Amino acid sequence: TDNQRVILQITDVNDEPPYFINRPLPMQAVVKLNAAPNTPVFTLQARDPDKDHDIHYFLVRDRTGGRFEVDEKSGVVRTRGSEMFQLDMEYVLYVKAEDQNGRIDDKHFQSTPEERLSIVGGKRPPQFYLPKYEKTIPENAAKDSDIISVKAKSFADREIRYTLKAKGQGAGTFNIGPTSGIVKLAKELDFEDVLQPHIYQLVVTATEDSGGFSTSVDLVVTATEDSGGFSTSVDLTIKVTDVNDNPPKFDLPDYQAHNIDEDIPIGSSILRVKARDSDSGTNAEITYSVSDDHFRVDNKGIIYNRKTLDADDNNAYYEFQVTSTDRGEPAKEGTATIRIYTKNKNDEEPNFSQQVYTPNVDENAGPNTLVTTVVASDKDGDNVEFGFVGGARKSGQFVIEKMTGVIRLHGGAISLDRDKYELNVTAVDDGKCCPSGQHSRHTSTAVVVVFITDVNDNKPVFKDCASYHAKVEESASNGSPVITVHATDEDKGVNGQVRYSIVQQPNQKGTKFTVDPETGEVTTNKVFDREGEDGKFVSVTVKATDNGDPSLEGVCSFTVEITDINDNPPLFDRQKYIENVKQDTNVGTNILRVSASDEDADNNGAIVYNLTSASNPLDLEYFEVQPESGWIILKKPLDRGDYEVVVTATDLGQPPLTSEVLVVLNIVDRANRPPIWDLQVYEPIKIKENTSVGQNVYSIKARLVVRESYRLTAVAQDRGFPPLSRTVDVQIDVVDRANNPPVWTQSIYGPIYIKENLPVGAGVISVKARSVVLPDQTPFVGLSDPNARQWSAMQLTLTYADTFHNVILSYNTTYTKFSMT
C-alpha cells in the first residue's frame, strides 16, 4: 500500500450569532449629573465565533428620552444633550449587537438578544459579578483551603471590603478575605457528624469605603442607605458532599453454622451476614463476596452453597472470609470470618494416589520381586481393600495383597518377554465410617503399567566398520565432512542410545577429526598437508558410548586417505648446476642430468623438463634436454667459451607449477683430465626410509690428477619407479702446503708449571697457530713427546684466521718436555 498525506482546509461559514461578553450582568453603569455631551458611560462588548464577522452595536429601545447614544462600531455608550442628569434616577436602554456579515434574510442579520442597560445618575452600590454563588466541596477539604472567590464591581473605582455571615447553622465554619473576596474553610468538616449541616447558607456583603447607600441581595435584592458607605450583598450556598472515608463493618466479627448436611442441594441458604457503612449515597451501598468458591452470597448477605459440600475435607468444616465492599471511589471494604460445620455421610469412593502407576521391573527379575504398591484412601474414613478387576488377587505373573496393595511377581517361573504389562486394580471401601454406610460401598479403579526395564548388557557395535574407506582432500577447510559412522546397540531405552566421540591417538597433539555426538558425522579438525607431517593416510578411532549405568563402549578404527592437490612446485636438487665439458665432446653426448622432485602425487608430481636461454639465445642451439629424464644432450659441436642455459621443471598438475635452475657449462681444454673416483660404482647404498634430513648417507672420494681445482657432481639414486635421485656439488681444491706451513704465534711456550696433583683432563695451556696459504682453513695440531708418552689436543672454536688449542693433561706427571706440529 502507498500512503498519501492529504491536507483539508475547512472554510468557515458565517453561521454563528454574536454574543455579549460584558460582565457583570445585568449591565449597569453610572453617569455624572453634570456630564457633558459625548461623555462615555459604558462600552458594549460582543464576540462572534465566525472569522468574517462584522459586529455593529445598536440602540433598540430608548427609555431615557434620547439622553444617550451608541457608537455603532465601537459600542461606546455616550451622553447626549447638555441637560443635567437627575440624582438617583435610572435611565434604561435596550441594546443589541449585529453581525452584518451574517445575513439571515434581506432585512435581518445574526444578532444578540436584547440586553437591558441600567444607568443611574450620580452613585450606585457595588455590583457582584454573579447574582448568586454556589459551591460544592468534599468533606475532606483541607482546613484553610480556598473554597470560592466572590467579587463585586465598584462603579466609583473605590476599594471594596467583604464580610461573610451565616444564615442559620454553620457560623464560624467559613471566613472571607476582607479585600480579596476569597472564601476559605475555617475548620474541618465531617459529613457523618449530625451536628454539621450538609448545606451552608451564607451571605457575602461588599462595601465601598464611603458614605451612602447600602444594598443587600438575597433571593430578592433590597437596597438601604446607612452611614457606612455603599454596600451590596449576595447569597453564597456551599454544599458538602460525602467522601468514602468509612469502610463497611459487619455486625459480628465471625459467623458460624452447625450440623449442615454435606449432601444438601446446591443453592441452599445456610446463614445471613450484615454489614453497615456510615457514609452516604453510593459510598454506603454495599456488595458482598466470599473467598471460597463452594459458596456464594447475594446483596442481602445470604450465603448459599454453589457446590456439593464434603464433610471429609477441611476437617468437616469450611472456614472462609466474607467481604463487604462499598461503591465509593476508591472503594473500602470490611471482612468477617465464616465457619460452616458439616455432617459426614458415606458418599465418597476410594481415591487412588494416582490413576496410572508406571513401575519398572528389570527384564531378569526373579520370583516374588516387588513391583509396586498402589495406595488408595477414602475421605469418609473407610478402610480400603485391593484386588484386580473382578475381585481376583492374581493376574498373569502378578499378585496383589488385599490389605496393603503390594504387587509382586508370583512365586513360579518368570518370563518377562514383553515391553510392558497392563494391570487393572480396584479399591473397595468397607462403609464403616457412618451409620448404614455398609449398604452403599464404593469402588474405584486404577491402571498399573509395568514397564520391563532393559539391562545394559550389550555394547554399541559398528557393523560397517570394516567397509569404512574415507577420503578428504588436503587443504580442505576445517570442519569439512569426511564420513558418517553408525553404531547400533541391542539394548532398549537409554541403554540403547549411543553418543559418539573421537579417541585421542597416543602421542598425538590434539585431535585431527571431530565427530557429531548425535549423528556420527566425522569432520576435519584441522587443515591437512599430505606432503607434511600428516602424510597420505591418517588413522581415526571413533568411540560409541551408550547411556547405560554403567555405560558400555564400542570402537571403530579406520584410515582416512588424504588426497593430493597440486600445491607443491618441482624442486631442483641444486640451486645451480656447474659442469666442465671438454671442448671436443661428441654431438649426442649426455652432458649433465638435472633432477627435480615434486612432493605431490600422480600427475601432480610428474615432471617434464625444457630449456630456455639464460642470457644468450644462441646457447640453445648447442644443447637440448630430454623432457622426462632431465639429461642435457649436446646438439652441436662446441666452438667457443662457456655456455649458460635455464632448465624449467613443470609438473602435470592442474594448474601446473614450475621452477627453474641455471646450468653453467664450462668448456675446458681437451688436455685436461677430470678427477678419478676411487670406485667405479658406489652401490648398493641402503638407508632407512625415515632417515632425518641432513643425516650423512655415504662418503665418496675422488683424487686429483693435474688440476688445482675440480668441480664434481655426486648423484644418489634409488631403485624405485620412476627412480628418484638427488645430486650434490663437490669442489676439490689442491693446495700446496709444503711451501707455506702454518705459523705459531710463539716459537717457545714455557716453562709451564702445573701442580703435581692436578687431575687428569685439567687445562695446561692454550696455543695458537695461523694458516698462511688459506686464511679460512683450520691448522691441525699434534703433540710429540721424547719419552713417547701420549698427549691429546682438543680443537676449539675458530676466530677469523686463528685457531686456539687447549693442551690438557692426560696422565699424572712430574716434568716433561714436548713439541707441537
Side-chain angles (χ1 to χ4, degrees), residues 154-388:
S154 172
F155 294 97
D157 293 329
R158 293 175 179 169
E159 183 178 352
I160 297 176
R161 300 187 67 82
Y162 300 93
T163 58
L164 180 67
K165 183 178 180 182
K167 296 193 302 184
Q169 289 182 312
T173 305
F174 301 92
N175 57 37
I176 191 168
T179 59
S180 66
I182 296 176
V183 178
K184 294 178 178 287
L185 180 63
K187 63 181 182 179
E188 294 181 349
L189 302 175
D190 185 0
F191 190 88
E192 290 74 38
D193 188 348
V194 296
L195 299 179
Q196 294 187 18
H198 294 165
I199 299 176
Y200 291 84
Q201 298 289 346
L202 308 172
V203 176
V204 180
T205 302
T207 305
E208 289 184 356
D209 290 338
S210 64
F213 294 94
S214 172
T215 302
S216 63
V217 180
D218 197 332
L219 295 178
V220 178
V221 178
T222 60
T224 62
E225 183 178 7
D226 60 20
S227 60
F230 281 118
S231 66
T232 186
S233 299
V234 67
D235 277 347
L236 169 60
T237 300
I238 298 177
K239 297 181 180 180
V240 179
T241 59
D242 181 50
V243 174
N244 192 28
D245 54 355
N246 292 283
K249 293 182 180 179
F250 282 96
D251 293 345
L252 297 173
D254 63 85
Y255 296 82
Q256 297 182 5
H258 296 270
N259 297 321
I260 305 299
D261 290 337
E262 65 173 343
D263 58 351
I264 61 172
I266 294 175
S268 300
S269 62
I270 298 175
L271 58 84
R272 182 175 184 177
V273 298
K274 180 65 176 177
R276 307 173 193 276
D277 195 312
S278 300
D279 292 317
S280 301
T282 57
N283 293 335
E285 295 178 4
I286 295 174
T287 60
Y288 298 94
S289 62
V290 292
S291 60
D292 192 327
D293 63 358
H294 283 84
F295 304 91
R296 65 177 180 86
V297 59
D298 63 15
N299 289 335
K300 296 180 180 180
I302 299 175
I303 295 177
Y304 305 86
N305 66 316
R306 59 190 302 269
K307 292 183 179 181
T308 301
L309 302 183
D310 190 348
D312 308 304
D313 288 334
N314 307 311
N315 296 322
Y317 78 96
Y318 293 87
E319 180 176 321
F320 55 93
Q321 299 292 317
V322 60
T323 301
S324 57
T325 305
D326 62 28
R327 298 184 183 273
E329 185 64 39
K332 292 184 177 294
E333 60 184 32
T335 59
T337 301
I338 306 295
R339 293 184 179 87
I340 297 176
Y341 295 89
T342 57
K343 292 190 299 183
N344 188 27
K345 291 190 176 183
N346 188 20
D347 57 350
E348 299 285 350
E349 64 182 23
N351 183 32
F352 279 98
S353 60
Q354 54 196 79
Q355 284 301 305
V356 179
Y357 294 83
T358 57
N360 294 297
V361 175
D362 288 346
E363 61 181 345
N364 57 358
N368 299 315
T369 298
L370 175 65
V371 175
T372 189
T373 299
V374 293
V375 177
S377 59
D378 192 306
K379 291 183 179 180
D380 294 322
D382 293 326
N383 296 319
V384 177
E385 298 175 357
F386 299 97
F388 294 114

Side-chain angles (χ1 to χ4, degrees), residues 12-123:
D12 183 39
V13 175
N14 196 329
D15 56 352
E16 297 289 341
Y19 56 91
F20 281 111
I21 61 171
N22 293 89
R23 295 293 183 272
L25 293 177
M27 299 180 188
Q28 295 181 2
V30 295
V31 61
K32 292 182 179 180
L33 301 181
N34 58 352
N38 295 320
T39 298
V41 295
F42 193 80
T43 299
L44 300 173
Q45 293 179 311
R47 294 286 185 270
D48 192 312
D50 297 314
K51 292 184 177 180
D52 61 342
H53 61 261
D54 182 15
I55 297 177
H56 291 252
Y57 300 92
F58 297 98
L59 182 59
V60 180
R61 287 182 289 162
D62 185 357
R63 296 290 186 265
T64 67
R67 299 300 310 272
F68 298 92
E69 63 180 2
V70 177
D71 187 283
E72 184 177 346
K73 293 297 292 180
S74 66
V76 175
V77 179
R78 295 186 179 92
T79 60
R80 292 180 63 190
S82 58
E83 184 181 352
M84 290 188 61
F85 290 94
Q86 296 184 20
L87 179 67
D88 297 335
M89 184 173 179
E90 183 182 24
Y91 301 89
V92 178
L93 303 174
Y94 290 91
V95 296
K96 72 174 182 178
E98 283 185 355
D99 177 11
Q100 302 213 340
N101 283 341
R103 182 178 295 275
I104 299 175
D105 52 35
D106 293 340
K107 296 182 179 180
H108 298 89
F109 298 93
Q110 295 175 353
S111 65
T112 65
E114 293 182 6
E115 289 289 345
R116 183 177 187 275
L117 171 59
S118 170
I119 304 173
V120 175
K123 302 178 181 180

Side-chain angles (χ1 to χ4, degrees), residues 576-583 591 613-623 634 636-646 662-670 672 707 711:
K576 180 179 180 183
Y577 289 87
I578 301 175
E579 180 70 14
N580 296 323
V581 183
K582 289 183 180 182
Q583 189 175 3
I591 302 298
S613 64
S615 58
N616 187 356
L618 296 177
D619 290 351
L620 294 178
E621 298 178 359
Y622 293 87
F623 305 96
L634 184 63
K636 181 180 179 180
L638 301 173
D639 55 9
R640 56 183 173 85
D642 296 340
Y643 297 84
E644 290 185 353
V645 292
V646 174
L662 178 64
V663 178
V664 178
L665 301 172
N666 297 321
I667 308 304
V668 297
D669 187 84
R670 62 178 59 90
N672 292 338
R707 296 167 54 188
R711 291 186 178 91

Side-chain angles (χ1 to χ4, degrees), residues 14 29 100 129 168 196 383 466 521 539 563 572 596 654 699 723 728 791 797 814:
N14 196 329
Q100 302 213 340
Y129 281 86
Q196 294 187 18
N383 296 319
E521 182 183 25
S539 178
T563 59
F572 284 97
Q654 289 298 327
S699 295
V728 65
W791 292 76
T797 306
T814 56

Side-chain angles (χ1 to χ4, degrees), residues 359-365 416 418-420 450-456 492 494-495:
N360 294 297
V361 175
D362 288 346
E363 61 181 345
N364 57 358
L416 302 176
R418 289 190 286 175
D419 291 339
K420 64 180 180 180
V450 182
F451 290 94
I452 306 306
T453 304
D454 179 68
V455 177
N456 193 25
K492 299 177 182 179
V494 295
N495 294 333

Side-chain angles (χ1 to χ4, degrees), residues 350 352 378 383-387 426-430 441-444:
F352 279 98
D378 192 306
N383 296 319
V384 177
E385 298 175 357
F386 299 97
T426 60
V428 182
D429 65 19
D430 59 4
R441 299 180 66 181
H442 301 279
T443 301
S444 60

